Each structure stands twice: as structure tokens, then as C-alpha cells.
């Protein structure tokens, strides 16, 4: 009899936590999915793509905000969605793209999106691009490439610290 009562007690201790874990509450962002999808559709993203992306996003509001900011440049909604969906920090991506697009032509905007998406630190990449593009002999496209590849080192730019010849 003691064995049965101990078994029942242990079963109760195990089943209550398992029951609590099985009954998961609704996600906190469930109400944001509809507004995310509506915003993306208004930006020119196809309905199916918008619904799928917003339902799958961990932060639907950040996703839609990123797309909304990027489509204000000369980039199409679907391209913006693909870029915003693939990055860890969509808000930084949007900031980078809008910053660089301010100094580019309409033809260079997709290049700005690609460059910002490839960068590990989009805000720093935008600052680097702006600084280099401010030089008269470096184009915006060259500046984006250089900042992305980190080919220009401070020692190579500064005349005081130019490498000495042997």
C-alpha cells in the first residue's frame, strides 16, 4: 500500500509541471501580426508573402517598420521584405539603407540595400560609407564596397602614418 501511495504522489509531482508546460499561452505578438501584414500589403508586398512573413516573424512590428522605412527609398516592397526578414537587426538595416540612399541615385539604392544587408554592423557601415563618399575622388559605390570589405585601413588613409619603405 505504501508503494502505491508513493507512486501516486510522484505521479502528481511530475504531471502538474508537464500539464503547465503543455498549456502554452498565446504569443505576446499575436495581435501584431495583422497590423504587420496590413502594413506590408500597403507597401506593395503580395498578400501571401506578407501573411507568411508576419506570421513567422518573432517581432512582426520590427519587420513591418523595417519594410516601411526602406520602401520610402527607391526599393520595391518585396525586395525590402526579403532583406528585412533575413537580418537579425531589421531596425539597423532600415537605418543603414535610408542613410546611404540619401546620397545615392535611384540606380544605386538596390546596391545600398545589398551592402547594408551584408554588413555585420549596418549603422557603422552607413557612417563609413558617408565618410568615404564625402571625399571627392571616391564614388558612393566604391565607398560601400570599401566599407564592406574593410579594405581601407586608417593607416593607409592618414598621410602621417604612411608605411615606411625599406
Amino acid at each position: 500500500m505504501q508503494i502505491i501511495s508513493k507512486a501516486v504522489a510522484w505521479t502528481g509531482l511530475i504531471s502538474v509541471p508537464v500539464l503547465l508546460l503543455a498549456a502554452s499561452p498565446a504569443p505576446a505578438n499575436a495581435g501584431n501580426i495583422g497590423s504587420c501584414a496590413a502594413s506590408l500589403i500597403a507597401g506593395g508586398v503580395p498578400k501571401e508573402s506578407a501573411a507568411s512573413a508576419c506570421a513567422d516573424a518573432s517581432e512582426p512590428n520590427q519587420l513591418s517598420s523595417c519594410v516601411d522605412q526602406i520602401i520610402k527609398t527607391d526599393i520595391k516592397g518585396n525586395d525590402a521584405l526579403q532583406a528585412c526578414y533575413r537580418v537579425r537587426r531589421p531596425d539597423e538595416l532600415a537605418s543603414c539603407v535610408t542613410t546611404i540612399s540619401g546620397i545615392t541615385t535611384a540606380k544605386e539604392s538596390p546596391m545600398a540595400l545589398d551592402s547594408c544587408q551584408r554588413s555585420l554592423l549596418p549603422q557603422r557601415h552607413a557612417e563609413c560609407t558617408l565618410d568615404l563618399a564625402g571625399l571627392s575622388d571616391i564614388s558612393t559605390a566604391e565607398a560601400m564596397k570599401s566599407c564592406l570589405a574593410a579594405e581601407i585601413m586608417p593607416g593607409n588613409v592618414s598621410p602621417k602614418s604612411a608605411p615606411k619603405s625599406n
Side-chain angles (χ1 to χ4, degrees):
M1 194 69 173
Q2 270 185 340
I3 295 174
I4 293 175
S5 65
K6 285 184 180 181
V8 169
W10 280 104
T11 305
L13 289 175
I14 294 171
S15 64
V16 171
V18 169
L19 179 65
L20 291 176
L21 289 174
S24 63
N29 60 9
N32 300 330
I33 295 171
S35 62
C36 170
S39 175
L40 295 181
I41 292 167
V45 175
K47 292 178 185 179
E48 297 80 22
S49 298
S52 177
C54 290
D56 193 40
S58 60
E59 295 291 334
N61 285 339
Q62 285 184 7
L63 178 67
S64 64
S65 174
C66 177
V67 173
D68 287 343
Q69 289 179 42
I70 291 176
I71 62 173
K72 290 178 184 174
T73 65
D74 295 319
I75 297 170
K76 296 181 179 172
N78 209 28
D79 294 337
L81 173 61
Q82 288 178 7
C84 291
Y85 186 77
R86 292 181 180 163
V87 296
R88 288 184 333 175
R89 297 180 179 132
D91 51 340
E92 288 186 24
L93 173 71
S95 174
C96 178
V97 172
T98 55
T99 299
I100 294 176
S101 291
I103 61 167
T104 61
T105 63
K107 291 180 182 179
E108 292 175 322
S109 288
M111 187 186 305
L113 177 65
D114 181 58
S115 183
C116 289
Q117 186 180 0
R118 288 178 181 218
S119 175
L120 295 175
L121 300 168
Q123 289 176 332
R124 191 174 195 185
H125 177 70
E127 291 172 14
C128 176
T129 301
L130 287 177
D131 288 347
L132 290 180
L135 301 174
S136 61
D137 57 342
I138 297 178
S139 71
T140 306
E142 289 175 33
M144 284 186 276
K145 286 180 185 179
S146 294
C147 291
L148 192 58
E151 292 174 349
I152 295 180
M153 303 301 268
N156 295 341
V157 176
S158 174
K160 291 182 182 179
S161 60
K164 297 178 183 178
S165 61
N166 292 334

PDB file of all heavy atoms in Angstrom, residues 123-160:
ATOM      1  N   GLN A 123      24.828  50.113 -38.972  1.00  0.00           N
ATOM      2  CA  GLN A 123      24.934  51.542 -38.659  1.00  0.00           C
ATOM      3  C   GLN A 123      26.362  52.041 -38.876  1.00  0.00           C
ATOM      4  O   GLN A 123      26.580  53.124 -39.418  1.00  0.00           O
ATOM      5  CB  GLN A 123      24.483  51.810 -37.228  1.00  0.00           C
ATOM      6  CG  GLN A 123      22.988  51.641 -37.059  1.00  0.00           C
ATOM      7  CD  GLN A 123      22.537  51.817 -35.627  1.00  0.00           C
ATOM      8  OE1 GLN A 123      23.277  51.569 -34.695  1.00  0.00           O
ATOM      9  NE2 GLN A 123      21.293  52.245 -35.455  1.00  0.00           N
ATOM     10  N   ARG A 124      27.314  51.250 -38.469  1.00  0.00           N
ATOM     11  CA  ARG A 124      28.710  51.617 -38.667  1.00  0.00           C
ATOM     12  C   ARG A 124      29.053  51.639 -40.163  1.00  0.00           C
ATOM     13  O   ARG A 124      29.807  52.483 -40.631  1.00  0.00           O
ATOM     14  CB  ARG A 124      29.587  50.615 -37.935  1.00  0.00           C
ATOM     15  CG  ARG A 124      31.009  51.000 -37.843  1.00  0.00           C
ATOM     16  CD  ARG A 124      31.713  49.994 -36.973  1.00  0.00           C
ATOM     17  NE  ARG A 124      32.995  50.488 -36.562  1.00  0.00           N
ATOM     18  CZ  ARG A 124      33.863  49.792 -35.884  1.00  0.00           C
ATOM     19  NH1 ARG A 124      33.575  48.567 -35.519  1.00  0.00           N
ATOM     20  NH2 ARG A 124      35.013  50.299 -35.549  1.00  0.00           N
ATOM     21  N   HIS A 125      28.487  50.704 -40.890  1.00  0.00           N
ATOM     22  CA  HIS A 125      28.694  50.646 -42.337  1.00  0.00           C
ATOM     23  C   HIS A 125      28.169  51.917 -43.005  1.00  0.00           C
ATOM     24  O   HIS A 125      28.818  52.474 -43.899  1.00  0.00           O
ATOM     25  CB  HIS A 125      27.996  49.412 -42.903  1.00  0.00           C
ATOM     26  CG  HIS A 125      28.082  49.292 -44.386  1.00  0.00           C
ATOM     27  ND1 HIS A 125      29.253  49.009 -45.045  1.00  0.00           N
ATOM     28  CD2 HIS A 125      27.135  49.433 -45.340  1.00  0.00           C
ATOM     29  CE1 HIS A 125      29.024  48.967 -46.348  1.00  0.00           C
ATOM     30  NE2 HIS A 125      27.747  49.229 -46.544  1.00  0.00           N
ATOM     31  N   ALA A 126      27.009  52.380 -42.573  1.00  0.00           N
ATOM     32  CA  ALA A 126      26.437  53.608 -43.144  1.00  0.00           C
ATOM     33  C   ALA A 126      27.328  54.809 -42.847  1.00  0.00           C
ATOM     34  O   ALA A 126      27.568  55.648 -43.730  1.00  0.00           O
ATOM     35  CB  ALA A 126      25.035  53.833 -42.592  1.00  0.00           C
ATOM     36  N   GLU A 127      27.842  54.900 -41.633  1.00  0.00           N
ATOM     37  CA  GLU A 127      28.737  56.000 -41.272  1.00  0.00           C
ATOM     38  C   GLU A 127      30.009  55.964 -42.114  1.00  0.00           C
ATOM     39  O   GLU A 127      30.475  56.995 -42.608  1.00  0.00           O
ATOM     40  CB  GLU A 127      29.091  55.932 -39.791  1.00  0.00           C
ATOM     41  CG  GLU A 127      27.939  56.236 -38.863  1.00  0.00           C
ATOM     42  CD  GLU A 127      28.271  55.984 -37.403  1.00  0.00           C
ATOM     43  OE1 GLU A 127      29.464  55.833 -37.061  1.00  0.00           O
ATOM     44  OE2 GLU A 127      27.332  55.943 -36.596  1.00  0.00           O
ATOM     45  N   CYS A 128      30.577  54.782 -42.261  1.00  0.00           N
ATOM     46  CA  CYS A 128      31.788  54.613 -43.067  1.00  0.00           C
ATOM     47  C   CYS A 128      31.529  55.042 -44.505  1.00  0.00           C
ATOM     48  O   CYS A 128      32.321  55.779 -45.105  1.00  0.00           O
ATOM     49  CB  CYS A 128      32.241  53.159 -43.012  1.00  0.00           C
ATOM     50  SG  CYS A 128      33.672  52.766 -44.062  1.00  0.00           S
ATOM     51  N   THR A 129      30.416  54.615 -45.053  1.00  0.00           N
ATOM     52  CA  THR A 129      30.076  54.947 -46.437  1.00  0.00           C
ATOM     53  C   THR A 129      29.900  56.447 -46.611  1.00  0.00           C
ATOM     54  O   THR A 129      30.400  57.032 -47.578  1.00  0.00           O
ATOM     55  CB  THR A 129      28.805  54.207 -46.873  1.00  0.00           C
ATOM     56  OG1 THR A 129      29.021  52.795 -46.750  1.00  0.00           O
ATOM     57  CG2 THR A 129      28.430  54.529 -48.311  1.00  0.00           C
ATOM     58  N   LEU A 130      29.209  57.084 -45.677  1.00  0.00           N
ATOM     59  CA  LEU A 130      29.016  58.529 -45.761  1.00  0.00           C
ATOM     60  C   LEU A 130      30.353  59.266 -45.691  1.00  0.00           C
ATOM     61  O   LEU A 130      30.593  60.214 -46.443  1.00  0.00           O
ATOM     62  CB  LEU A 130      28.104  59.025 -44.641  1.00  0.00           C
ATOM     63  CG  LEU A 130      26.630  58.702 -44.762  1.00  0.00           C
ATOM     64  CD1 LEU A 130      25.871  59.201 -43.537  1.00  0.00           C
ATOM     65  CD2 LEU A 130      26.036  59.310 -46.015  1.00  0.00           C
ATOM     66  N   ASP A 131      31.218  58.830 -44.783  1.00  0.00           N
ATOM     67  CA  ASP A 131      32.518  59.484 -44.638  1.00  0.00           C
ATOM     68  C   ASP A 131      33.351  59.353 -45.910  1.00  0.00           C
ATOM     69  O   ASP A 131      33.933  60.326 -46.379  1.00  0.00           O
ATOM     70  CB  ASP A 131      33.291  58.902 -43.448  1.00  0.00           C
ATOM     71  CG  ASP A 131      32.713  59.335 -42.110  1.00  0.00           C
ATOM     72  OD1 ASP A 131      31.886  60.273 -42.091  1.00  0.00           O
ATOM     73  OD2 ASP A 131      33.079  58.732 -41.083  1.00  0.00           O
ATOM     74  N   LEU A 132      33.431  58.149 -46.463  1.00  0.00           N
ATOM     75  CA  LEU A 132      34.242  57.947 -47.662  1.00  0.00           C
ATOM     76  C   LEU A 132      33.616  58.604 -48.890  1.00  0.00           C
ATOM     77  O   LEU A 132      34.323  59.126 -49.739  1.00  0.00           O
ATOM     78  CB  LEU A 132      34.458  56.460 -47.922  1.00  0.00           C
ATOM     79  CG  LEU A 132      35.374  55.736 -46.942  1.00  0.00           C
ATOM     80  CD1 LEU A 132      35.500  54.266 -47.327  1.00  0.00           C
ATOM     81  CD2 LEU A 132      36.744  56.385 -46.889  1.00  0.00           C
ATOM     82  N   ALA A 133      32.297  58.572 -48.981  1.00  0.00           N
ATOM     83  CA  ALA A 133      31.630  59.186 -50.129  1.00  0.00           C
ATOM     84  C   ALA A 133      31.775  60.701 -50.102  1.00  0.00           C
ATOM     85  O   ALA A 133      31.634  61.357 -51.135  1.00  0.00           O
ATOM     86  CB  ALA A 133      30.160  58.790 -50.159  1.00  0.00           C
ATOM     87  N   GLY A 134      32.063  61.241 -48.938  1.00  0.00           N
ATOM     88  CA  GLY A 134      32.287  62.678 -48.827  1.00  0.00           C
ATOM     89  C   GLY A 134      33.594  63.120 -49.469  1.00  0.00           C
ATOM     90  O   GLY A 134      33.781  64.298 -49.748  1.00  0.00           O
ATOM     91  N   LEU A 135      34.489  62.183 -49.702  1.00  0.00           N
ATOM     92  CA  LEU A 135      35.737  62.507 -50.395  1.00  0.00           C
ATOM     93  C   LEU A 135      35.437  62.678 -51.877  1.00  0.00           C
ATOM     94  O   LEU A 135      34.637  61.937 -52.452  1.00  0.00           O
ATOM     95  CB  LEU A 135      36.768  61.398 -50.189  1.00  0.00           C
ATOM     96  CG  LEU A 135      37.140  61.096 -48.732  1.00  0.00           C
ATOM     97  CD1 LEU A 135      38.046  59.880 -48.666  1.00  0.00           C
ATOM     98  CD2 LEU A 135      37.807  62.305 -48.098  1.00  0.00           C
ATOM     99  N   SER A 136      36.078  63.629 -52.506  1.00  0.00           N
ATOM    100  CA  SER A 136      35.736  63.964 -53.886  1.00  0.00           C
ATOM    101  C   SER A 136      36.091  62.873 -54.898  1.00  0.00           C
ATOM    102  O   SER A 136      35.455  62.760 -55.929  1.00  0.00           O
ATOM    103  CB  SER A 136      36.405  65.272 -54.293  1.00  0.00           C
ATOM    104  OG  SER A 136      37.815  65.142 -54.204  1.00  0.00           O
ATOM    105  N   ASP A 137      37.102  62.072 -54.608  1.00  0.00           N
ATOM    106  CA  ASP A 137      37.532  61.101 -55.613  1.00  0.00           C
ATOM    107  C   ASP A 137      37.019  59.680 -55.370  1.00  0.00           C
ATOM    108  O   ASP A 137      37.441  58.755 -56.035  1.00  0.00           O
ATOM    109  CB  ASP A 137      39.054  61.097 -55.727  1.00  0.00           C
ATOM    110  CG  ASP A 137      39.738  60.794 -54.403  1.00  0.00           C
ATOM    111  OD1 ASP A 137      39.076  60.929 -53.358  1.00  0.00           O
ATOM    112  OD2 ASP A 137      40.924  60.429 -54.411  1.00  0.00           O
ATOM    113  N   ILE A 138      36.085  59.506 -54.438  1.00  0.00           N
ATOM    114  CA  ILE A 138      35.521  58.182 -54.171  1.00  0.00           C
ATOM    115  C   ILE A 138      34.012  58.229 -54.409  1.00  0.00           C
ATOM    116  O   ILE A 138      33.306  59.029 -53.794  1.00  0.00           O
ATOM    117  CB  ILE A 138      35.813  57.718 -52.725  1.00  0.00           C
ATOM    118  CG1 ILE A 138      37.316  57.573 -52.513  1.00  0.00           C
ATOM    119  CG2 ILE A 138      35.110  56.396 -52.429  1.00  0.00           C
ATOM    120  CD1 ILE A 138      37.719  57.164 -51.114  1.00  0.00           C
ATOM    121  N   SER A 139      33.520  57.364 -55.283  1.00  0.00           N
ATOM    122  CA  SER A 139      32.080  57.311 -55.553  1.00  0.00           C
ATOM    123  C   SER A 139      31.366  56.586 -54.417  1.00  0.00           C
ATOM    124  O   SER A 139      31.998  55.886 -53.618  1.00  0.00           O
ATOM    125  CB  SER A 139      31.816  56.591 -56.879  1.00  0.00           C
ATOM    126  OG  SER A 139      32.082  55.207 -56.737  1.00  0.00           O
ATOM    127  N   THR A 140      30.074  56.735 -54.382  1.00  0.00           N
ATOM    128  CA  THR A 140      29.287  56.063 -53.343  1.00  0.00           C
ATOM    129  C   THR A 140      29.404  54.550 -53.470  1.00  0.00           C
ATOM    130  O   THR A 140      29.527  53.847 -52.473  1.00  0.00           O
ATOM    131  CB  THR A 140      27.809  56.493 -53.431  1.00  0.00           C
ATOM    132  OG1 THR A 140      27.737  57.919 -53.381  1.00  0.00           O
ATOM    133  CG2 THR A 140      26.996  55.915 -52.296  1.00  0.00           C
ATOM    134  N   ALA A 141      29.391  54.046 -54.683  1.00  0.00           N
ATOM    135  CA  ALA A 141      29.516  52.599 -54.901  1.00  0.00           C
ATOM    136  C   ALA A 141      30.867  52.097 -54.402  1.00  0.00           C
ATOM    137  O   ALA A 141      30.943  51.049 -53.742  1.00  0.00           O
ATOM    138  CB  ALA A 141      29.327  52.266 -56.379  1.00  0.00           C
ATOM    139  N   GLU A 142      31.938  52.843 -54.698  1.00  0.00           N
ATOM    140  CA  GLU A 142      33.262  52.457 -54.216  1.00  0.00           C
ATOM    141  C   GLU A 142      33.326  52.518 -52.695  1.00  0.00           C
ATOM    142  O   GLU A 142      33.948  51.666 -52.058  1.00  0.00           O
ATOM    143  CB  GLU A 142      34.334  53.372 -54.809  1.00  0.00           C
ATOM    144  CG  GLU A 142      34.588  53.178 -56.272  1.00  0.00           C
ATOM    145  CD  GLU A 142      35.576  54.212 -56.806  1.00  0.00           C
ATOM    146  OE1 GLU A 142      36.477  54.629 -56.056  1.00  0.00           O
ATOM    147  OE2 GLU A 142      35.434  54.594 -57.970  1.00  0.00           O
ATOM    148  N   ALA A 143      32.702  53.528 -52.120  1.00  0.00           N
ATOM    149  CA  ALA A 143      32.694  53.676 -50.665  1.00  0.00           C
ATOM    150  C   ALA A 143      31.990  52.489 -50.008  1.00  0.00           C
ATOM    151  O   ALA A 143      32.482  51.944 -49.011  1.00  0.00           O
ATOM    152  CB  ALA A 143      32.026  54.989 -50.273  1.00  0.00           C
ATOM    153  N   MET A 144      30.841  52.082 -50.561  1.00  0.00           N
ATOM    154  CA  MET A 144      30.127  50.932 -50.000  1.00  0.00           C
ATOM    155  C   MET A 144      30.981  49.674 -50.071  1.00  0.00           C
ATOM    156  O   MET A 144      31.062  48.917 -49.100  1.00  0.00           O
ATOM    157  CB  MET A 144      28.793  50.710 -50.736  1.00  0.00           C
ATOM    158  CG  MET A 144      27.714  51.683 -50.354  1.00  0.00           C
ATOM    159  SD  MET A 144      26.122  51.283 -51.096  1.00  0.00           S
ATOM    160  CE  MET A 144      26.287  52.041 -52.694  1.00  0.00           C
ATOM    161  N   LYS A 145      31.634  49.449 -51.211  1.00  0.00           N
ATOM    162  CA  LYS A 145      32.483  48.270 -51.372  1.00  0.00           C
ATOM    163  C   LYS A 145      33.647  48.297 -50.393  1.00  0.00           C
ATOM    164  O   LYS A 145      33.979  47.290 -49.773  1.00  0.00           O
ATOM    165  CB  LYS A 145      33.010  48.179 -52.805  1.00  0.00           C
ATOM    166  CG  LYS A 145      31.982  47.740 -53.809  1.00  0.00           C
ATOM    167  CD  LYS A 145      32.590  47.671 -55.197  1.00  0.00           C
ATOM    168  CE  LYS A 145      31.544  47.342 -56.241  1.00  0.00           C
ATOM    169  NZ  LYS A 145      32.126  47.308 -57.601  1.00  0.00           N
ATOM    170  N   SER A 146      34.280  49.438 -50.261  1.00  0.00           N
ATOM    171  CA  SER A 146      35.431  49.551 -49.374  1.00  0.00           C
ATOM    172  C   SER A 146      35.040  49.341 -47.919  1.00  0.00           C
ATOM    173  O   SER A 146      35.743  48.664 -47.175  1.00  0.00           O
ATOM    174  CB  SER A 146      36.093  50.916 -49.534  1.00  0.00           C
ATOM    175  OG  SER A 146      36.642  51.050 -50.822  1.00  0.00           O
ATOM    176  N   CYS A 147      33.938  49.921 -47.515  1.00  0.00           N
ATOM    177  CA  CYS A 147      33.492  49.775 -46.122  1.00  0.00           C
ATOM    178  C   CYS A 147      33.074  48.343 -45.831  1.00  0.00           C
ATOM    179  O   CYS A 147      33.320  47.831 -44.747  1.00  0.00           O
ATOM    180  CB  CYS A 147      32.348  50.733 -45.824  1.00  0.00           C
ATOM    181  SG  CYS A 147      32.866  52.460 -45.809  1.00  0.00           S
ATOM    182  N   LEU A 148      32.470  47.710 -46.792  1.00  0.00           N
ATOM    183  CA  LEU A 148      32.036  46.331 -46.601  1.00  0.00           C
ATOM    184  C   LEU A 148      33.228  45.385 -46.521  1.00  0.00           C
ATOM    185  O   LEU A 148      33.276  44.485 -45.689  1.00  0.00           O
ATOM    186  CB  LEU A 148      31.100  45.905 -47.728  1.00  0.00           C
ATOM    187  CG  LEU A 148      30.350  44.608 -47.546  1.00  0.00           C
ATOM    188  CD1 LEU A 148      29.496  44.649 -46.290  1.00  0.00           C
ATOM    189  CD2 LEU A 148      29.468  44.346 -48.747  1.00  0.00           C
ATOM    190  N   ALA A 149      34.195  45.605 -47.356  1.00  0.00           N
ATOM    191  CA  ALA A 149      35.361  44.720 -47.404  1.00  0.00           C
ATOM    192  C   ALA A 149      36.433  45.125 -46.403  1.00  0.00           C
ATOM    193  O   ALA A 149      37.389  44.389 -46.197  1.00  0.00           O
ATOM    194  CB  ALA A 149      35.939  44.712 -48.811  1.00  0.00           C
ATOM    195  N   ALA A 150      36.297  46.296 -45.821  1.00  0.00           N
ATOM    196  CA  ALA A 150      37.278  46.830 -44.869  1.00  0.00           C
ATOM    197  C   ALA A 150      38.666  46.869 -45.500  1.00  0.00           C
ATOM    198  O   ALA A 150      39.654  46.522 -44.874  1.00  0.00           O
ATOM    199  CB  ALA A 150      37.268  46.030 -43.574  1.00  0.00           C
ATOM    200  N   GLU A 151      38.707  47.296 -46.772  1.00  0.00           N
ATOM    201  CA  GLU A 151      39.982  47.366 -47.480  1.00  0.00           C
ATOM    202  C   GLU A 151      40.771  48.616 -47.122  1.00  0.00           C
ATOM    203  O   GLU A 151      41.992  48.618 -47.184  1.00  0.00           O
ATOM    204  CB  GLU A 151      39.742  47.337 -48.989  1.00  0.00           C
ATOM    205  CG  GLU A 151      39.206  46.019 -49.469  1.00  0.00           C
ATOM    206  CD  GLU A 151      38.837  46.069 -50.933  1.00  0.00           C
ATOM    207  OE1 GLU A 151      38.803  47.153 -51.524  1.00  0.00           O
ATOM    208  OE2 GLU A 151      38.561  44.997 -51.477  1.00  0.00           O
ATOM    209  N   ILE A 152      40.093  49.680 -46.786  1.00  0.00           N
ATOM    210  CA  ILE A 152      40.793  50.912 -46.453  1.00  0.00           C
ATOM    211  C   ILE A 152      41.023  50.935 -44.954  1.00  0.00           C
ATOM    212  O   ILE A 152      40.086  50.981 -44.162  1.00  0.00           O
ATOM    213  CB  ILE A 152      39.990  52.148 -46.904  1.00  0.00           C
ATOM    214  CG1 ILE A 152      39.880  52.165 -48.416  1.00  0.00           C
ATOM    215  CG2 ILE A 152      40.645  53.419 -46.384  1.00  0.00           C
ATOM    216  CD1 ILE A 152      39.105  53.331 -48.968  1.00  0.00           C
ATOM    217  N   MET A 153      42.262  50.858 -44.580  1.00  0.00           N
ATOM    218  CA  MET A 153      42.636  50.870 -43.167  1.00  0.00           C
ATOM    219  C   MET A 153      43.050  52.293 -42.794  1.00  0.00           C
ATOM    220  O   MET A 153      43.591  53.014 -43.634  1.00  0.00           O
ATOM    221  CB  MET A 153      43.802  49.905 -42.920  1.00  0.00           C
ATOM    222  CG  MET A 153      43.498  48.478 -43.348  1.00  0.00           C
ATOM    223  SD  MET A 153      42.093  47.810 -42.498  1.00  0.00           S
ATOM    224  CE  MET A 153      42.921  47.066 -41.140  1.00  0.00           C
ATOM    225  N   PRO A 154      42.844  52.704 -41.567  1.00  0.00           N
ATOM    226  CA  PRO A 154      43.209  54.067 -41.185  1.00  0.00           C
ATOM    227  C   PRO A 154      44.670  54.396 -41.489  1.00  0.00           C
ATOM    228  O   PRO A 154      45.001  55.505 -41.875  1.00  0.00           O
ATOM    229  CB  PRO A 154      42.942  54.098 -39.680  1.00  0.00           C
ATOM    230  CG  PRO A 154      41.902  53.065 -39.475  1.00  0.00           C
ATOM    231  CD  PRO A 154      42.181  51.997 -40.498  1.00  0.00           C
ATOM    232  N   GLY A 155      45.582  53.457 -41.357  1.00  0.00           N
ATOM    233  CA  GLY A 155      46.985  53.701 -41.648  1.00  0.00           C
ATOM    234  C   GLY A 155      47.250  54.008 -43.108  1.00  0.00           C
ATOM    235  O   GLY A 155      48.192  54.706 -43.454  1.00  0.00           O
ATOM    236  N   ASN A 156      46.408  53.495 -43.980  1.00  0.00           N
ATOM    237  CA  ASN A 156      46.583  53.725 -45.409  1.00  0.00           C
ATOM    238  C   ASN A 156      45.966  55.039 -45.856  1.00  0.00           C
ATOM    239  O   ASN A 156      46.247  55.517 -46.938  1.00  0.00           O
ATOM    240  CB  ASN A 156      45.981  52.585 -46.222  1.00  0.00           C
ATOM    241  CG  ASN A 156      46.697  51.275 -45.992  1.00  0.00           C
ATOM    242  OD1 ASN A 156      47.830  51.247 -45.515  1.00  0.00           O
ATOM    243  ND2 ASN A 156      46.038  50.186 -46.314  1.00  0.00           N
ATOM    244  N   VAL A 157      45.110  55.604 -45.041  1.00  0.00           N
ATOM    245  CA  VAL A 157      44.431  56.837 -45.394  1.00  0.00           C
ATOM    246  C   VAL A 157      45.178  58.046 -44.839  1.00  0.00           C
ATOM    247  O   VAL A 157      45.338  59.049 -45.495  1.00  0.00           O
ATOM    248  CB  VAL A 157      42.968  56.827 -44.880  1.00  0.00           C
ATOM    249  CG1 VAL A 157      42.299  58.147 -45.154  1.00  0.00           C
ATOM    250  CG2 VAL A 157      42.206  55.705 -45.534  1.00  0.00           C
ATOM    251  N   SER A 158      45.652  57.917 -43.638  1.00  0.00           N
ATOM    252  CA  SER A 158      46.320  59.028 -42.969  1.00  0.00           C
ATOM    253  C   SER A 158      47.733  59.206 -43.507  1.00  0.00           C
ATOM    254  O   SER A 158      48.529  58.275 -43.497  1.00  0.00           O
ATOM    255  CB  SER A 158      46.376  58.760 -41.463  1.00  0.00           C
ATOM    256  OG  SER A 158      47.127  59.759 -40.830  1.00  0.00           O
ATOM    257  N   PRO A 159      48.086  60.422 -43.975  1.00  0.00           N
ATOM    258  CA  PRO A 159      49.428  60.624 -44.508  1.00  0.00           C
ATOM    259  C   PRO A 159      50.514  60.549 -43.433  1.00  0.00           C
ATOM    260  O   PRO A 159      51.637  60.217 -43.721  1.00  0.00           O
ATOM    261  CB  PRO A 159      49.374  62.024 -45.123  1.00  0.00           C
ATOM    262  CG  PRO A 159      48.132  62.639 -44.643  1.00  0.00           C
ATOM    263  CD  PRO A 159      47.240  61.580 -44.106  1.00  0.00           C
ATOM    264  N   LYS A 160      50.187  60.826 -42.172  1.00  0.00           N
ATOM    265  CA  LYS A 160      51.183  60.814 -41.107  1.00  0.00           C
ATOM    266  C   LYS A 160      51.641  59.394 -40.787  1.00  0.00           C
ATOM    267  O   LYS A 160      52.728  59.173 -40.334  1.00  0.00           O
ATOM    268  CB  LYS A 160      50.622  61.457 -39.841  1.00  0.00           C
ATOM    269  CG  LYS A 160      50.423  62.938 -39.994  1.00  0.00           C
ATOM    270  CD  LYS A 160      49.906  63.538 -38.713  1.00  0.00           C
ATOM    271  CE  LYS A 160      49.658  65.027 -38.880  1.00  0.00           C
ATOM    272  NZ  LYS A 160      49.130  65.629 -37.677  1.00  0.00           N
TER     273      LYS A 160
END
